[in-house]
Amino acid sequence: MRLGVVGTNFITDWLLEAAEEIPEIQVQAVFSRKQETGEAFAKKHRIPEVYTDFEAFLNGPIDIVYVATPTYAHCRQTLEALKHKKHVLCEKVMAVNEREVQSMIDCAGENQVVLLEAMRPDFDPALQILSANLPRIGKLRRVTLEYCQYSSRYDRFRAGEILNAFNPALSNAAIMDIGVYCIHSLVRLFGAPKSVKACSTMLHNGFEGNGIVLMQYEDMIAEAVYSKIDHSVHPSVFQGEDGSITVDVISKPQKVELNLRNGHRELLPYTPVKNNMVYELRKLLELIENHQYNHPYLTHSLNAIRVMDEARRQNGIVFDADILS
């Protein structure tokens, strides 16, 4: 399968490093708004073709498009790729709001191509190991998924420079960039919650710096704790009546540990890989091979964006795409 990438940032670097481990994928083309940027990126990754015209890129010899541009552009670029009968792996968060995500899902179905959100924890074996061991901790009562990562760009923001990563006009917010990992993983494991309550810390330019989303389920409480302006050393914790399971880093697990009330402790058998984006690529190829255009991962993406939409509504985080809706 020939891969074309849209976006030349470090996330695309990681994806292409993962693609090197999958012989079924051939990196064919890169689209960039600037020729010099595209050529430099192509040279770095030995990509044969560079495009600055998106239509020409989509008409080129590619089968899969990886979209890794800012969130506000995901829907438009993905829809165009889907209409050209290209399979799409779209970076998280898949789009700005539910309306956009649903339009992308509908378009993929109409054109009989695979659309998949590049949500790494969804496909990492750690999630399956965790899920298989949840019965050992008894009735689940509370889950806290925490991902607080001090942004490498925040020092420049504090110095007065507002880069894209902290620009709300580009549909950016901590919940879209960081919180999505926690929220998506919760709905992936437990489905849509009964209710949502949220609070956020807003920076002086209207950007959401951190937040907490409380999700009520039938007989347990789940919370997503996230931040781009501070760092946490806490693991994510699944608390049951008979014990707990901890995951060190929800986006890229390295260790999954069981702790029972009777004192038993156990590192669950899990071997992390250097780059867990290989799993999303393998799943994408599997879905394409089996012609699974209406797969369960689309439901997880919809459930996650609905929670995020509600959390943003409660905290007054409004993007241009919401107004257009």
Side-chain angles (χ1 to χ4, degrees):
M1 302 295 288
R2 297 162 299 178
L3 174 68
V5 299
V6 184
T8 56
N9 55 38
F10 66 94
I11 299 295
T12 315
D13 286 332
W14 294 349
L15 190 282
L16 294 182
E17 288 170 8
E20 290 179 2
E21 301 182 33
I22 303 176
E24 296 89 348
I25 292 179
Q26 171 189 322
V27 183
Q28 181 66 31
V30 56
F31 168 78
S32 176
R33 290 175 300 170
K34 297 180 180 178
Q35 184 72 29
E36 58 270 27
T37 303
E39 288 179 353
F41 192 81
K43 182 178 180 180
K44 178 181 180 181
H45 291 284
R46 303 182 301 279
I47 301 174
E49 300 182 38
V50 177
Y51 295 87
T52 55
D53 181 277
F54 197 54
E55 181 74 14
F57 168 78
L58 293 176
N59 285 324
I62 56 176
D63 307 297
I64 301 169
V65 174
Y66 172 61
V67 177
T69 47
T71 302
Y72 77 92
H74 285 185
C75 182
R76 173 177 53 82
Q77 292 174 333
T78 296
L79 288 175
E80 285 301 310
L82 296 171
K83 290 173 183 176
H84 281 75
K85 309 295 184 182
K86 310 298 182 183
H87 307 288
V88 175
L89 178 66
C90 184
E91 255 310 324
K92 58 79 191 167
V93 55
M94 188 185 282
V96 175
N97 53 37
E98 181 185 352
R99 179 192 62 82
E100 289 194 348
V101 171
Q102 187 64 65
S103 71
M104 294 156 71
I105 292 173
D106 292 343
C107 189
E110 291 165 5
N111 289 280
Q112 295 292 279
V113 285
V114 171
L115 168 66
L116 186 66
E117 185 173 12
M119 176 51 61
R120 286 182 283 166
D122 259 11
F123 316 103
D124 196 302
L127 199 68
Q128 286 73 48
I129 292 168
L130 163 69
S131 185
N133 282 274
L134 283 177
R136 298 178 65 185
I137 63 174
K139 193 169 186 62
L140 202 59
R141 290 304 192 185
R142 183 182 181 123
V143 178
T144 301
L145 299 193
E146 186 161 336
Y147 190 13
C148 300
Q149 179 176 281
Y150 188 94
S151 172
S152 59
R153 300 171 179 85
Y154 189 48
D155 284 339
R156 292 168 71 176
F157 180 92
R158 294 169 68 181
E161 182 182 3
I162 299 177
L163 301 176
N164 286 350
F166 284 88
N167 184 354
L170 300 179
S171 299
N172 287 336
I175 194 171
M176 310 295 277
D177 190 24
I178 299 291
V180 61
Y181 283 108
C182 304
I183 294 167
H184 192 110
S185 296
L186 286 169
V187 301
R188 166 79 167 85
L189 288 166
F190 308 115
K194 292 173 59 179
S195 63
V196 171
K197 295 182 180 178
C199 58
S200 297
T201 299
M202 309 304 291
L203 304 184
H204 67 78
N205 69 328
F207 183 87
E208 182 207 31
N210 65 16
I212 297 175
V213 178
L214 190 68
M215 300 161 64
Q216 180 70 60
Y217 287 87
E218 189 62 39
D219 48 13
M220 77 163 190
I221 296 172
E223 57 185 340
V225 182
Y226 57 91
S227 179
K228 291 188 69 172
I229 58 175
D230 53 68
H231 181 73
S232 173
V233 296
H234 299 149
S236 291
V237 185
F238 296 76
Q239 295 174 232
E241 293 180 348
D242 299 325
S244 64
I245 296 176
T246 58
V247 180
D248 56 348
V249 182
I250 195 60
S251 64
K252 188 180 178 182
Q254 301 294 299
K255 183 174 67 173
V256 185
E257 186 173 3
L258 173 76
N259 290 273
L260 298 182
R261 274 197 307 109
N262 62 14
H264 175 76
R265 300 185 65 180
E266 177 185 342
L267 277 178
L268 297 177
Y270 168 67
T271 303
V273 295
K274 180 181 179 181
N275 185 339
N276 68 346
M277 296 176 89
V278 298
Y279 297 122
E280 63 194 41
L281 285 171
R282 288 173 183 160
K283 177 57 68 174
L284 177 69
L285 291 178
E286 177 188 319
L287 294 170
I288 292 171
E289 182 179 359
N290 295 320
H291 307 288
Q292 290 182 264
Y293 311 123
N294 186 25
H295 53 82
Y297 297 99
L298 297 175
T299 300
H300 307 325
S301 294
L302 268 176
N303 284 336
I305 199 68
R306 286 167 180 158
V307 171
M308 296 168 69
D309 281 356
E310 175 59 20
R312 289 199 296 112
R313 186 194 66 78
Q314 292 182 20
N315 290 305
I317 303 170
V318 180
F319 302 131
D320 287 346
D322 302 318
I323 299 169
L324 292 173
S325 297

